[in-house]
Amino acid sequence: MGFQDTPEEWRVTASVTPFTGNKTSVRTDDVVMPDGSVHSRDYQVHPGSVAVLALDEDGRVLVLRQYRHPVRHKLWEIPAGLLDVPGENPLHAAQRELYEEAHVKAGDWRVLTDVYTTPGGCDEAVRVFLARDLSEAEGERFAVSEEEADMEQARVPLEELVRGVLAGDLHNSCLVVGVLSLSAALAGDGVDALRPADAPWPARPFES
């Protein structure tokens, strides 16, 4: 089987949802431990997300700078968004986010990596795609609002982003995972060895 994560589910004796928000909620489960004791575990219930590392023909990554209130920072990020519809095809969601946030489309899509962002306190799963063969999307730009109305956009060489991650200058998890994964892929078997864009995703099963 190789060295891999495996699904497992410990018995839950009780579960309550003390808070329900617009997109996420908080759940408290009473979980039976291996020694038979029962302990409460609080965690955020999340619909899941997709992110897009869009790489142009010059080896530059499309990045966005956006204010994130919980950490009181403007962060450089890659396009990303929630899986708003249960069972939504993650590729379709990623294509939508790339269009809405950057007004860009891509001709080549692959799965770069799948991650749980904070598995100790949240069940969010993120699929990070690699998008290449970039071009401007047709039609009018998507009307943005709230924090997105203040977004900046840039294209930065992959190597510069890797240096920024290792220097502690860049902190967004999807950007960090994406640029380091792509750098590893390029140094290894190459992007053609990456999984196809419609590869199964057990963490968030989807319709084709």
Side-chain angles (χ1 to χ4, degrees):
M1 292 180 61
F3 193 70
Q4 63 186 44
D5 298 332
T6 55
E8 185 168 343
E9 188 168 352
W10 293 359
R11 187 164 66 92
V12 174
T13 60
S15 183
V16 295
T17 303
F19 171 79
T20 300
N22 186 33
K23 298 293 184 180
T24 67
S25 59
V26 173
R27 182 178 296 163
T28 299
D29 289 343
D30 291 340
V31 184
V32 180
M33 300 293 148
D35 63 1
S37 61
V38 178
H39 295 273
S40 295
R41 292 293 179 263
D42 303 322
Y43 60 100
Q44 182 184 23
V45 179
H46 195 286
S49 306
V50 292
V52 184
L53 195 149
L55 186 71
D56 69 15
E57 66 277 7
D58 297 319
R60 301 176 302 171
V61 177
L62 190 157
V63 291
L64 307 168
R65 190 168 182 243
Q66 184 172 348
Y67 176 66
R68 294 300 188 182
H69 185 70
V71 296
R72 309 305 200 270
H73 270 70
K74 271 193 170 181
L75 301 179
W76 284 106
E77 308 179 349
I78 57 177
L82 298 176
L83 290 168
D84 294 312
V85 181
E88 183 178 18
N89 186 302
L91 174 60
H92 298 166
Q95 291 169 333
R96 179 187 68 236
E97 293 299 332
L98 186 60
Y99 158 70
E100 291 182 357
E101 294 193 350
H103 199 66
V104 167
K105 64 180 180 179
D108 183 81
W109 290 83
R110 299 173 190 271
V111 175
L112 187 54
T113 190
D114 298 325
V115 295
Y116 291 116
T117 53
T118 49
C122 180
D123 70 353
E124 181 184 16
V126 180
R127 169 156 282 188
V128 183
F129 288 90
L130 172 65
R132 297 183 298 169
D133 186 18
L134 307 183
S135 60
E136 185 174 358
E138 295 90 356
E140 297 182 1
R141 286 186 172 271
F142 182 78
V144 296
S145 61
E146 302 175 11
E147 291 93 342
E148 293 184 354
D150 188 51
M151 282 197 308
E152 305 168 47
Q153 184 178 142
R155 296 195 181 194
V156 183
L158 175 64
E159 296 79 6
E160 184 175 340
L161 293 176
V162 170
R163 288 194 295 270
V165 168
L166 298 179
D169 296 331
L170 299 170
H171 306 89
N172 175 263
S173 60
C174 290
L175 183 147
V176 170
V177 169
V179 300
L180 295 183
S181 295
L182 179 56
S183 180
L186 293 171
D189 295 332
V191 296
D192 290 336
L194 294 172
R195 288 172 290 163
D198 60 352
W201 190 16
R204 292 294 186 273
F206 60 90
E207 302 171 3
S208 60

